[in-house]
Amino acid sequence: MKKFYITTPLYYVNSAPHIGHSYTNIACDTLARYKRLMGYEVLFVTGTDEHGQKIKDVAESKAMEPKAFVDSVAPIFKDLWKRLDISYDDFIRTTEKRHEDVVKDTLNILYKKGDLYEGEYSGWYCTPCESFWTKAQLVDDLCPDCKRKVEEIKEKNFFFRLSKYQNWLIDYINSHEDFIKPAIRKNEMLSFLKNPLNDLCISRPASRLSWGIDIPFSKDHVTYVWFDALINYISVCGYKDNPEKFKKFWPADIHMIGKDILRPHTVYWPIMLHAIGLEPPMTVFAHGWWKMGGDKMSKSKGNVVDPRDMVSRFGVDAYRFFLLKEVQFGVDGSFSEEALIARINSDLANDLGNLLHRSLTMVEKYFAEFVPERRDLKYSDEITKALIDKACGLDSEIKKGMDSIDFSYGLNSIWDLINMANKFIEQKAPWKLAKGNKQDDLKDMMYDLCEILRMVSIALMPFMPDTSVKMAGQLGLGDIEKRSFSDLKWGLLKPGTKINKGTPLFPRIEVN
Ligand code: MSP
């Protein structure tokens, strides 16, 4: 059996989950569901990043111990993933023993190899970004990334010899076309690598920060954040405790991330892996950011979108659909409630919802709720032929979209079919066929519509799982659990199937 291992970043637990977290997880869930439907053995992992200064700070501000604080936040993420229908297979927290053990092993291997060394460090530290900067990198004496205050810090720390592997990494990126995607991100990293790499500071003195993982060969230091968190990708798939599982799933097929955490994932991480003798992941895909209008979302601006609020007001599938369809995956998007409502009203209520409801209404009216039988599988006119050809091409169009990690491409191909089917109803005017006693023509076209809806319900399974199940229920399709992408073939719908019309799946949202 072919395998597919996909990961999300581990989210910091210092703030509530927001649109960015939900975006990555919805994208990964869509790919994971698709691969399962294609017969792959899938390992889909998400989790939380729980060490570090800023998490300790937030815990302190709430008068809590860090461990009690992180224990209280991890379930909030799990609860959101449940509400968003995220079908993850494992959830890893960086405070778990299975992870901490692997971090310690990795440190030991690198230390013995001489790839970790102790040195004096002086630099400007940005706590929100958990990053050190040199004086020259600061912009107006502020952090170049988040533009917040930095503090000067001098201390003894451990360093990882990134510089030793710089040429290896450049060669690796150049010779592995799929390693960094999309291409614009690959170029960004290659141009970053034109300058000499600084070795990476991977420790903090325990006296300053106790909320990290103990460094086995130095009681005065802990490690945390990037060096700690990245290792989750191997600890969760059995690197230390399940060699068979590890052999099956590593290297990961996709690490899905946002564009801001590209450097740790495509510079630090492949070098760490290479240094301990493991292969890098096949692909690191960096998606774009959601903005509010043209503005960055931030707590201080008070414009952060809360996925829980969106789901309770608009429904989980409408939210999933909007994020996946509105922009091409990889580029930035502009979020607004108006745009979300416009999509719900046009694509979901008008196009999909109408096609389903009016088709079922006609099956109910003309054929007493039973899908009629087609005369044969020949199509007597060009309109019908074009429609069926389109439906038959759905499988390969979705594959094309998924293989290139372009969700809007897949969804657009489904909507092209839906729109064609709506037009088909207007062109064929079934109400005239019924009046003119053209019973066979009416049967043929009603079968065709139901068959298209069956195929649409399958094609939507990865993107909108709940809608897909509801559609299948209204179409009277049994054995919903057993459906797979191999059912995306024309003519599998059994005549005589009894439909259950039900209510429209996506009522229009009236805006005052
Ligand atoms: N803990 C690190 C990741 C460690 S992975 C081994 C981290 N966590 S985070 O919670 O700050 O960010 C997680 C993800 O959210 C990042 O991939 C980031 O790109 C994404 N987003 C944060 N805001 C976003 C938007 N407004 N839009 C889209 N994604 C954004 O970084």
Side-chain angles (χ1 to χ4, degrees), residues 55-56 59-60 62-72 211:
I55 288 160
K56 192 172 168 238
E60 255 161 34
K62 294 184 187 294
M64 288 171 92
E65 283 301 314
K67 180 71 170 84
F69 170 69
V70 298
D71 284 350
S72 73
W211 191 233

Side-chain angles (χ1 to χ4, degrees), residues 9-12 18 20-21 49 226 229 233 258 260-261 287-290:
L10 295 197
Y11 303 112
Y12 286 132
H18 57 66
H21 305 135
D49 190 352
W226 289 113
Y233 299 131
D260 56 316
I261 54 176
H287 63 66
W289 270 46
W290 284 95

Side-chain angles (χ1 to χ4, degrees), residues 8-16 18-24 47-50 54-55 77 94 128 225-226 228-233 256-262 264-265 287-292 295-298 304 332-333:
T8 76
L10 295 197
Y11 303 112
Y12 286 132
V13 288
N14 59 324
S15 58
H18 57 66
I19 185 171
H21 305 135
S22 68
Y23 189 42
T24 323
T48 38
D49 190 352
E50 305 187 349
K54 62 183 169 185
I55 288 160
F77 280 86
T94 52
V225 185
W226 289 113
D228 156 15
L230 289 163
I231 290 175
N232 94 84
Y233 299 131
M256 191 70 84
I257 58 166
K259 63 181 184 180
D260 56 316
I261 54 176
L262 189 62
H265 281 84
H287 63 66
W289 270 46
W290 284 95
K291 297 184 177 169
M292 223 23 179
D295 264 8
K296 198 172 169 182
M297 285 184 203
S298 74
V304 178
D332 289 348

Side-chain angles (χ1 to χ4, degrees), residues 10-13 46-52 55-56 59 65-75 78 91-104 210-214 223-225 228-232 235-236:
L10 295 197
Y11 303 112
Y12 286 132
V13 288
T46 187
T48 38
D49 190 352
E50 305 187 349
H51 291 124
I55 288 160
K56 192 172 168 238
E65 283 301 314
K67 180 71 170 84
F69 170 69
V70 298
D71 284 350
S72 73
V73 183
K78 286 188 178 170
F91 188 101
I92 183 149
R93 300 175 53 187
T94 52
T95 50
E96 283 176 61
K97 185 173 181 308
R98 62 170 169 164
H99 172 69
E100 297 196 350
D101 285 351
V102 177
V103 173
K104 288 179 187 164
S210 51
W211 191 233
I213 298 179
D214 293 341
T223 189
Y224 76 110
V225 185
D228 156 15
L230 289 163
I231 290 175
N232 94 84
S235 46
V236 75

Side-chain angles (χ1 to χ4, degrees), residues 1-4 35-43 247-249 253:
M1 199 189 237
K2 288 175 289 183
K3 68 90 189 177
F4 182 69
K35 290 288 180 178
R36 287 191 200 109
L37 290 166
M38 295 296 283
Y40 284 70
E41 183 171 357
V42 171
L43 177 62
K247 194 164 171 249
K248 181 192 289 176
F249 287 108
D253 293 80

Side-chain angles (χ1 to χ4, degrees), residues 36-311:
R36 287 191 200 109
L37 290 166
M38 295 296 283
Y40 284 70
E41 183 171 357
V42 171
L43 177 62
F44 166 23
V45 175
T46 187
T48 38
D49 190 352
E50 305 187 349
H51 291 124
Q53 183 77 47
K54 62 183 169 185
I55 288 160
K56 192 172 168 238
D57 288 351
V58 180
E60 255 161 34
S61 74
K62 294 184 187 294
M64 288 171 92
E65 283 301 314
K67 180 71 170 84
F69 170 69
V70 298
D71 284 350
S72 73
V73 183
I76 299 177
F77 280 86
K78 286 188 178 170
D79 178 60
L80 174 64
W81 304 146
K82 206 168 166 195
R83 289 172 73 175
L84 288 174
D85 269 338
I86 305 299
S87 61
Y88 62 84
D89 300 297
D90 204 345
F91 188 101
I92 183 149
R93 300 175 53 187
T94 52
T95 50
E96 283 176 61
K97 185 173 181 308
R98 62 170 169 164
H99 172 69
E100 297 196 350
D101 285 351
V102 177
V103 173
K104 288 179 187 164
D105 278 8
T106 309
L107 287 164
N108 276 331
I109 299 173
L110 294 176
Y111 190 56
K112 274 192 202 129
K113 247 186 114 179
D115 280 350
L116 291 180
Y117 63 94
E118 200 172 9
E120 167 89 358
Y121 194 80
S122 117
W124 275 260
Y125 193 64
C126 172
T127 303
C129 293
E130 305 277 19
S131 297
F132 271 110
W133 304 104
T134 61
K135 179 82 178 155
Q137 287 172 314
L138 301 181
V139 176
D140 298 332
D141 285 340
L142 300 173
C143 166
D145 269 1
C146 72
K147 316 281 182 295
R148 275 181 271 214
K149 271 196 189 156
V150 288
E151 56 174 325
E152 192 179 6
I153 285 178
K154 253 197 197 121
E155 57 197 23
K156 277 208 160 159
N157 267 317
F158 284 91
F159 291 83
F160 175 43
R161 292 189 200 281
L162 285 185
S163 49
K164 172 176 156 190
Y165 296 99
Q166 177 157 7
N167 290 337
W168 167 81
L169 181 63
I170 294 171
D171 285 349
Y172 187 86
I173 296 174
N174 280 321
S175 58
H176 292 77
E177 195 52 41
D178 290 337
F179 177 52
I180 307 178
K181 282 183 170 175
I184 175 183
R185 304 291 164 214
K186 174 179 168 176
N187 297 337
E188 193 181 311
M189 280 304 105
L190 284 172
S191 91
F192 167 74
L193 287 166
K194 282 190 181 134
N195 298 312
L197 268 181
N198 293 326
D199 289 345
L200 182 70
C201 178
I202 61 119
S203 69
R204 303 291 178 262
S207 54
R208 181 160 73 79
L209 181 93
S210 51
W211 191 233
I213 298 179
D214 293 341
I215 293 198
F217 39 85
S218 168
K219 61 177 181 7
D220 299 332
H221 290 92
V222 295
T223 189
Y224 76 110
V225 185
W226 289 113
F227 192 85
D228 156 15
L230 289 163
I231 290 175
N232 94 84
Y233 299 131
I234 55 171
S235 46
V236 75
C237 69
Y239 177 59
K240 190 175 164 71
D241 56 10
N242 191 341
E244 217 173 288
K245 182 174 178 184
F246 187 73
K247 194 164 171 249
K248 181 192 289 176
F249 287 108
W250 193 261
D253 293 80
I254 300 179
H255 288 333
M256 191 70 84
I257 58 166
K259 63 181 184 180
D260 56 316
I261 54 176
L262 189 62
R263 197 181 302 173
H265 281 84
T266 58
V267 178
Y268 311 163
W269 183 226
I271 291 182
M272 285 163 71
L273 287 164
H274 183 65
I276 59 170
L278 293 177
E279 272 179 77
M282 313 288 271
T283 295
V284 176
F285 190 104
H287 63 66
W289 270 46
W290 284 95
K291 297 184 177 169
M292 223 23 179
D295 264 8
K296 198 172 169 182
M297 285 184 203
S298 74
K299 260 197 259 173
S300 53
K301 286 189 193 138
N303 63 355
V304 178
V305 175
D306 181 346
R308 292 165 293 188
D309 176 40
M310 292 299 120
V311 170

Side-chain angles (χ1 to χ4, degrees), residues 373-375 439-448:
E373 184 151 17
R374 232 193 176 285
R375 269 172 291 194
Q439 197 63 7
D440 283 342
D441 288 347
L442 186 64
K443 279 186 184 170
D444 284 1
M445 79 157 292
M446 290 318 302
Y447 178 88
D448 294 347

